[in-house]
Amino acid sequence: MSAGPRSVVVVGGGSVAWIAALALRRTFRHLPLDVTVLDTGPDATGPRVHWTLPSQRGAHAQLGVGEGEFLRATGATFRLASEHTGWQGGERRYVHAHGEIGTPIDVTPFYKWIVERTLAGKTERAEDWSIAALAARNGRFAQPMGAEKELTASFTYGFHVDERAYATFLRSAADRGGVRRIVGTLADVQRAADGRVETLRLADGGQVSADFFVDASGAGALLMSRVDDTPRLDWRRWFPCDRAIAGLAPGEVDPAAMTRTLAGDNGWSWRVPLMGATAVGGYHASAFGGDDALRAGLERVAPGLRDVAVVPVTAGRRQKFWVNNCVALGAAAVELEPLAGAHLHLAQLGLAAFMELFPLDSHPAAEAAEYDAQMAAYADRLRDFTLAHYRAGPRRPGAFWDAVHAEPLPDSLAAKLDPWRASGRLTIADFETFEETDWAWLLIGAGDRPQALELRVADEVRKLLPVEAESLRQTIARLASSMPRHGDFLRRLHAR
Amino acid sequence: MNSAPPLRLVIVGGGTAGWMTAAAFAATLRPDQCEVRLIESSEIGIVGVGEATLPHIRFFNRRIGIDERELMAHTHATFKLGIEFVNWARLGDSYIHPFGAYGTRAGGVSFHNFWLRRRRAGDTTPIEDYSLPIVASRRNRFSLPSEDTTSLSSTFGYAFQFDASLYAQYLRGFAEQRGVKRTDAKVVDVALRGEDGFIESIKLDSGETVAGDLFIDCSGFRGLLIEQALKTGYDEWTRWLPCDRAVAMPCENAGPLTPYTRATAREAGWQWRIPLQHRTGNGYVYSSKFISDDEAGAKLSSRLDGKALADPRFLRFTAGRRRKTWNRNCVAIGLAGGFLEPLESTSIHLIQVAITTLIDYVTPGRAFDPRTVEAFNRWIEMEYDRVRDFLILHYHATERDDAPLWNYCRTMDIPDSLKHKMELFRRRAQVVQYKDGLFLEPSWLAVYFGQRVMPDGYDPRADATPRPDLDGWMTTMRDRIDTAVNQMPDHETFLAQYCPSGARA
């Protein structure tokens, strides 16, 4: 019916490219739309593994991919939470789980009760009020169940998955779904007089033409870098880490369904359980230490490390995400350390926005403007949440951390933290990936303490009787400890 | 943290804004946390004309513990399912902006895209037929929404149309019972603190001096504290919303009590009609550039349903917003904070947003943290700006060329934010989405379609459903709405048994 694109070429070979291609193919299968991936191979500078948000489950549903099939094919594990250690100095550690903290007191979120208790001088940890957090820390896992308001349904989960295994798995799903694949290296881009891309020329002399192009080639932005010379917005002043290292260590028998991060002198490291292996890695600022020290540090915490690679990273984002007939997805659009586990999520937000704005003709300028505005907002909000890990709570000492803290916060993050610090109030803006509860996990966990609590809220939470609180705590602990071991759960799943 | 002395809250001005503020603070905070005083002068009239509200008022009522039936009986209220707009795109046109969505989403695609697909194929069924509150409005039916959220009869909201002076009176009783101290006096002087320019106290014509920690300016357009004392400044929006006067005149009821407000576009503005149980509120909002006061008054009195019940009352205003709603230790609520014409019944809503946000921001001893103040102001600004764009759309998206006002509005330059929204809708029926702010997708759709902004395209994902399935789904939806509405009682009958005027609950 429309004069929209009849062919789309997705450039890239990583999971983002395959997700985009298959989603486009499935969503518009009623249209005469041909979807081709120009497979430029794995994204060498992208994340080695992903720790994903629960939204990845929705993505799989959209792609027609079964969860068991996915887990068995990729050796992925479940993820209930992250545990962050040392970000505020010393051994302080806290959990950010994919689940509720307690249950609302009438209509007031339970985390306000924790704030109130903290202000009264009591020690309360958010994780003691979350099934997901307790299960994650104790190596347990089960899927949520029961009616919406029940405690057993008060959490959700994401995954840990190896990027290459995931890309391979998605590639075969895309192949079955009718996505065409051309393997090649992009050599040149042929554009029409109006700037639209017409044809991609390949290094082997071949070429591929299409009406529309998606650049999912990773931070190198193979296509977008040739059609858009608007300077990238540089985020390095907030995120000074410019090296990423990753490798594989022997697996654990009984891994926790949890991502671990550890703040270090010159950056931070992470640890992710996979079936049969543990992936470890880190982000590091070269101005504060060399690559050798980085590698040695990682080998100390993960003996038997293999497949180690160090790649450069540059935090920042594009200003334009949609130019003429090209859009950028994933790291081609936004490069940000995946501390919050939202790397794939952000790519999917872009994909969803693109499909909602899918061109109806050959001059989609209004769509491009809307897309740019939405993507900029999504990216900036995610930057803020990621940055809050560094900036919330007491400061970790050291030259790297002094430099991190010396940089003024983005206005939007200050606008978030100021009301919190004044009165425990959290306001969630449009286009935020993370919700009120996520911010509460992070800020309470980091020990970022409000000076006071809103009067009305303080009154509300005091209605919770100590005996009721104790009963809730016990119920949550009992439910968490009744879950199977995560390792057993995975082994049973793989035996099926 | 309980040892802090109570916050001394001083409200200047009664009326809807003043008494809503007093009632909300008194109901929400304890006397040892907050002492509320309200200063009003019985010599100064209040603006409170008949008021139409939005469904959000029910959250406010529930939060402070107001009994809805008692309130409705006291204020001679009727129910409201939406607003009928007459003559806006063309003379003779009528559409309803309902409190509820059109149809249901399918596969992540909004319903109107499916409607547009069938329309393009020649189907002429109006989109109104897929809205339960519109169909009910057209038939003058009403019943409360079902509490079963899976039921079709739960998919709409409702608000009230009531006598705003009686609303203020009702809230006064409510507030005084909860310890609010009212003083009948005029403010003659405002004393500012030397060091920071905060308001220290106000002096009354009785000779009394009233000190306070936080002052709420509900004094109306003139902004006795926020403007006259603190010189806060005002952003004017007359270039987009040229109406600057109104004349109000109640009349006797005639014909059935409609469960909706009516806004009829006129030669130099628009006329409201708000049916209450005992009378109908009417008014003409106009631009003084295009019509004189006398003529506007004469036009209004010649266009009433029934016999006039009072002399015309004239009001003046300037569309816009105070530069800071909260400045130093003064918060401007109601007309003192800004004015947007009541075309979409937003006046009480904007009051409510300011009050509930403010209560949440009050902390012991830290009510004036500049970071809190800034966050509050940003929030209120966003609410105003988004309502502003929505109102401008009503004036701008018109084909009318029969009067200078409409020629001006049709051809005026509009804010870029609205331009972009309209372009995206014209191209592909897409409503620019946001989470916060008042008017969401169904509201924008009602006004776009109602004002004849017809899109060239729609979401291509709506083409995925096979046509026979789509036809069956949409026909069933329409039939179910028709059946559900026929089972609803007549609005007037429902009111008579639910909350007759003057009855005590």
Side-chain angles (χ1 to χ4, degrees):
Chain A
M1 54 132 247
S2 73
R6 293 178 167 253
S7 53
V8 174
V9 166
V10 178
V11 179
S15 54
V16 173
W18 293 110
I19 288 170
L22 183 52
L24 285 166
R25 172 73 195 156
R26 283 175 59 89
T27 301
F28 298 113
R29 66 192 145 201
H30 59 287
L31 302 179
L33 182 72
D34 180 78
V35 180
T36 304
V37 170
L38 170 60
D39 188 345
T40 52
D43 170 19
T45 62
R48 180 72 160 269
V49 297
H50 301 287
W51 50 101
T52 83
L53 300 186
S55 61
Q56 210 60 23
R57 296 165 61 200
H60 289 163
Q62 188 188 30
L63 299 173
V65 166
E67 189 161 300
E69 179 197 0
F70 156 72
L71 287 156
R72 280 187 289 270
T74 60
T77 67
F78 293 101
R79 170 179 140 79
L80 290 168
S82 285
E83 183 186 62
H84 301 297
T85 303
W87 292 79
Q88 287 71 36
E91 291 303 302
R92 185 185 188 100
R93 65 174 70 199
Y94 66 94
V95 173
H96 169 193
H98 290 309
E100 300 300 324
I101 304 171
T103 53
I105 301 165
D106 198 4
V107 295
T108 304
F110 187 85
Y111 75 82
K112 304 268 191 185
W113 181 85
I114 296 182
V115 173
E116 208 271 334
R117 297 267 296 174
T118 311
L119 289 173
K122 311 267 191 340
T123 308
E124 286 294 346
R125 294 185 308 178
E127 63 192 75
D128 291 334
W129 304 92
S130 156
I131 293 178
L134 289 179
R137 290 209 53 170
N138 297 320
R140 298 186 177 273
F141 177 78
Q143 281 148 327
M145 62 176 105
E148 199 184 328
K149 298 227 165 115
E150 288 177 30
L151 275 172
T152 49
S154 68
F155 65 96
T156 174
Y157 60 90
F159 306 106
H160 299 111
V161 61
D162 177 81
E163 159 61 21
R164 290 197 190 190
Y166 197 27
T168 305
F169 169 73
L170 290 165
R171 191 176 85 197
S172 66
D175 183 52
R176 288 194 305 276
V179 172
R180 293 200 305 137
R181 175 183 181 223
I182 297 172
V183 178
T185 303
L186 181 61
D188 194 18
V189 174
Q190 184 183 316
R191 299 167 75 185
D194 63 2
R196 295 170 52 82
V197 173
E198 291 179 327
T199 303
L200 307 182
R201 293 191 193 285
L202 310 184
D204 65 4
Q207 60 178 43
V208 51
S209 302
D211 296 332
F212 210 94
F213 297 86
V214 175
D215 186 345
S217 65
L222 299 176
L223 176 58
M224 277 306 256
S225 61
R226 289 174 158 98
V227 300
D228 173 33
D229 53 11
T230 317
R232 250 171 54 115
L233 294 180
D234 191 336
W235 289 349
R236 282 178 295 181
R237 62 184 183 281
W238 293 303
F239 300 98
C241 292
D242 58 354
R243 291 280 188 283
I245 185 170
L248 291 175
E252 299 166 59
V253 179
D254 197 15
M258 182 164 83
T259 314
R260 290 188 169 91
T261 79
L262 179 66
D265 290 342
N266 307 326
W268 58 282
S269 59
W270 51 264
R271 187 180 182 93
V272 158
L274 300 170
M275 282 302 282
T278 302
V280 293
Y283 288 79
H284 169 86
S286 60
F288 297 88
D291 288 356
D292 291 343
L294 173 65
R295 197 179 286 247
L298 207 56
E299 276 162 355
R300 245 196 330 276
V301 297
L305 197 63
R306 59 189 165 85
D307 292 348
V308 179
V310 180
V311 295
V313 291
T314 313
R317 69 160 170 91
R318 310 195 77 79
Q319 296 191 62
K320 292 182 179 175
F321 302 91
W322 178 327
V323 176
N324 292 315
N325 60 340
C326 298
V327 298
L329 283 185
V334 181
E335 208 183 345
L336 177 64
E337 48 196 61
L339 180 52
H343 180 83
L344 292 174
H345 179 82
L346 186 59
Q348 266 142 213
L349 288 172
L351 181 61
F354 174 59
M355 292 199 294
E356 184 145 331
L357 292 162
F358 194 73
L360 302 178
D361 57 30
S362 56
H363 48 89
E367 283 86 345
E370 176 65 17
Y371 188 80
D372 283 347
Q374 289 190 21
M375 289 314 296
Y378 281 131
D380 290 352
R381 297 295 77 73
L382 184 58
R383 172 203 64 194
D384 288 353
F385 189 74
T386 306
L387 184 57
H389 290 73
Y390 283 89
R391 307 295 290 271
R395 293 180 177 199
R396 185 185 166 91
F400 169 85
W401 294 92
D402 288 347
V404 162
H405 283 283
E407 185 63 32
L409 293 174
D411 289 347
S412 49
L413 180 55
K416 171 83 71 188
L417 296 181
D418 286 349
W420 163 262
R421 287 171 178 169
S423 67
R425 182 178 179 78
L426 286 170
T427 50
I428 301 302
D430 284 336
F431 301 106
E432 292 215 41
T433 289
F434 290 95
E435 296 171 1
E436 186 174 350
T437 308
D438 297 296
W439 283 96
W441 276 114
L442 194 162
L443 295 173
I444 291 173
D448 200 291
R449 191 191 280 198
Q451 283 156 329
L453 195 58
E454 301 149 359
L455 277 175
R456 187 185 69 76
V457 169
D459 269 5
E460 277 295 313
V461 299
R462 286 191 202 111
K463 290 180 189 158
L464 183 73
L465 303 174
V467 58
E468 293 172 322
E470 191 47 36
S471 154
L472 178 64
R473 185 204 302 268
Q474 285 175 13
T475 306
I476 287 169
R478 185 170 46 76
L479 288 170
S481 64
S482 69
M483 289 180 177
R485 309 292 309 169
H486 180 222
D488 293 342
F489 195 101
L490 289 168
R491 278 186 287 275
R492 273 204 297 280
L493 193 128
H494 277 264
R496 244 178 255 158
Chain B
M1 58 185 280
N2 282 331
S3 55
L7 180 82
R8 293 169 302 167
L9 187 79
V10 179
I11 302 167
V12 174
T16 315
W19 285 113
M20 278 179 81
T21 310
F25 271 86
T28 316
L29 301 178
R30 294 192 312 262
D32 63 304
Q33 295 172 324
C34 183
E35 281 171 5
V36 185
R37 258 192 100 162
L38 188 144
I39 318 292
E40 69 173 335
S41 167
S42 45
E43 290 168 34
I44 302 173
I46 66 168
V47 168
V49 286
E51 277 272 15
T53 59
L54 293 173
H56 309 67
I57 193 175
R58 298 183 50 230
F59 294 111
F60 182 81
N61 289 344
R62 205 176 310 151
R63 182 163 162 177
I64 73 172
I66 285 180
D67 181 283
E68 191 169 296
R69 287 171 82 159
E70 190 182 294
L71 171 72
M72 288 188 73
H74 186 92
T75 57
H76 309 302
T78 59
F79 287 102
K80 177 180 172 193
L81 290 169
I83 304 173
E84 184 193 15
F85 290 90
V86 176
N87 292 346
W88 282 81
R90 292 181 191 167
L91 288 167
D93 278 3
S94 156
Y95 70 91
I96 289 180
H97 167 192
F99 297 146
Y102 296 96
T104 45
R105 285 168 77 83
V109 178
S110 293
F111 173 80
H112 68 280
N113 292 287
F114 299 102
W115 177 76
L116 284 167
R117 176 180 165 197
R118 293 227 313 179
R119 189 171 186 274
R120 179 166 296 195
D123 181 39
T124 55
T125 315
I127 198 163
E128 284 202 6
D129 289 8
Y130 300 96
S131 162
L132 188 145
I134 298 184
V135 174
S137 294
R138 294 288 188 202
R139 297 181 197 169
N140 287 324
R141 304 287 185 115
F142 183 83
S143 63
L144 299 172
S146 164
E147 285 176 12
D148 171 8
T149 53
T150 61
S151 151
L152 174 70
S153 302
S154 73
T155 59
F156 66 96
Y158 66 89
F160 316 113
Q161 309 174 115
F162 57 42
D163 181 322
S165 319
L166 294 176
Y167 182 51
Q169 190 190 77
Y170 179 86
L171 291 174
R172 176 180 159 187
F174 179 94
E176 285 183 327
Q177 270 171 31
R178 282 160 183 77
V180 173
K181 188 176 163 203
R182 172 183 180 270
T183 305
D184 189 341
K186 275 189 193 160
V187 175
V188 292
D189 196 22
V190 180
L192 303 185
R193 261 193 334 230
E195 68 267 33
D196 54 11
F198 275 40
I199 299 173
E200 192 163 59
S201 62
I202 53 176
K203 196 169 173 212
L204 308 183
D205 57 359
S206 60
E208 190 190 355
T209 297
V210 181
D213 300 311
L214 185 61
F215 290 83
I216 310 295
D217 188 345
C218 298
S219 66
F221 297 120
R222 63 202 175 121
L224 193 63
L225 307 180
I226 195 83
E227 196 56 50
Q228 292 180 11
L230 299 181
K231 317 274 182 242
T232 303
Y234 193 80
D235 284 329
E236 205 192 291
W237 294 335
T238 315
R239 66 188 176 285
W240 297 309
L241 296 169
C243 289
D244 57 355
R245 305 275 167 97
V247 49
M249 191 190 288
C251 74
E252 287 178 353
N253 283 338
L257 277 185
T258 57
Y260 54 87
T261 301
R262 182 180 296 142
T264 306
R266 298 297 191 195
E267 55 284 309
W270 60 278
Q271 180 178 338
W272 78 71
R273 173 188 176 278
I274 302 175
L276 309 182
Q277 290 188 44
H278 65 308
R279 62 162 172 81
T280 299
N282 305 282
Y284 188 178
V285 174
Y286 57 95
S287 164
S288 60
K289 267 196 202 145
F290 297 107
I291 197 170
S292 70
D293 291 349
D294 287 351
E295 206 184 342
K299 290 274 189 198
L300 177 63
S301 50
S302 72
R303 289 163 173 166
L304 303 177
D305 288 2
K307 199 178 127 216
L309 293 173
D311 289 335
R313 232 158 40 93
F314 288 88
L315 306 162
R316 291 172 173 224
F317 50 80
T318 307
R321 165 172 52 67
R322 198 69 59 194
R323 286 211 177 102
K324 290 177 186 167
T325 305
W326 186 341
N327 187 9
R328 296 177 217 173
N329 61 340
C330 174
V331 181
I333 294 182
L335 302 173
F339 183 83
L340 284 165
E341 54 188 85
L343 184 55
E344 285 284 356
S345 316
T346 48
S347 315
I348 285 185
H349 177 73
L350 290 168
I351 293 172
Q352 173 186 338
V353 167
I355 294 172
T356 49
T357 311
L358 180 64
I359 288 179
D360 279 352
Y361 275 69
V362 174
T363 53
R366 297 200 63 83
F368 322 110
D369 187 312
R371 302 171 301 187
T372 302
V373 172
E374 203 184 305
F376 176 89
N377 284 334
R378 246 194 322 263
W379 189 264
I380 301 295
E381 262 172 44
M382 182 205 70
E383 290 276 356
Y384 267 88
D385 292 359
R386 286 184 171 166
V387 172
R388 177 199 69 189
D389 275 10
F390 189 57
L391 294 186
I392 296 170
L393 175 65
H394 295 67
Y395 282 98
H396 182 63
T398 182
E399 297 172 11
R400 285 187 62 163
D401 57 4
D402 57 299
L405 171 83
W406 298 104
N407 284 334
Y408 171 79
C409 292
R410 200 184 64 246
T411 56
M412 70 185 167
D413 198 25
I414 56 175
D416 287 344
S417 49
L418 178 58
K419 238 181 249 175
H420 172 66
K421 287 183 187 113
M422 289 184 72
E423 194 190 353
L424 215 55
F425 188 77
R426 281 212 172 93
R427 283 178 62 74
R428 56 184 306 126
Q430 170 120 343
V431 173
V432 172
Q433 301 276 358
Y434 43 75
K435 180 175 70 62
D436 304 316
L438 189 49
F439 295 109
L440 304 179
E441 186 181 74
S443 299
W444 286 89
L445 288 175
V447 177
Y448 281 133
F449 287 133
Q451 308 255 161
R452 296 178 178 267
V453 181
M454 273 302 160
D456 299 328
Y458 57 83
D459 191 326
R461 293 173 297 178
D463 284 330
T465 318
R467 186 58 201 266
D469 296 357
L470 179 66
D471 291 353
W473 179 61
M474 287 182 62
T475 307
T476 308
M477 196 182 297
R478 217 169 58 213
D479 290 349
R480 286 179 57 216
I481 288 173
D482 181 66
T483 308
V485 170
N486 280 338
Q487 285 165 357
M488 291 164 76
D490 176 74
H491 178 221
E492 217 162 326
T493 311
F494 187 88
L495 282 171
Q497 56 84 21
Y498 187 77
C499 56
S501 280
R504 300 223 144 255

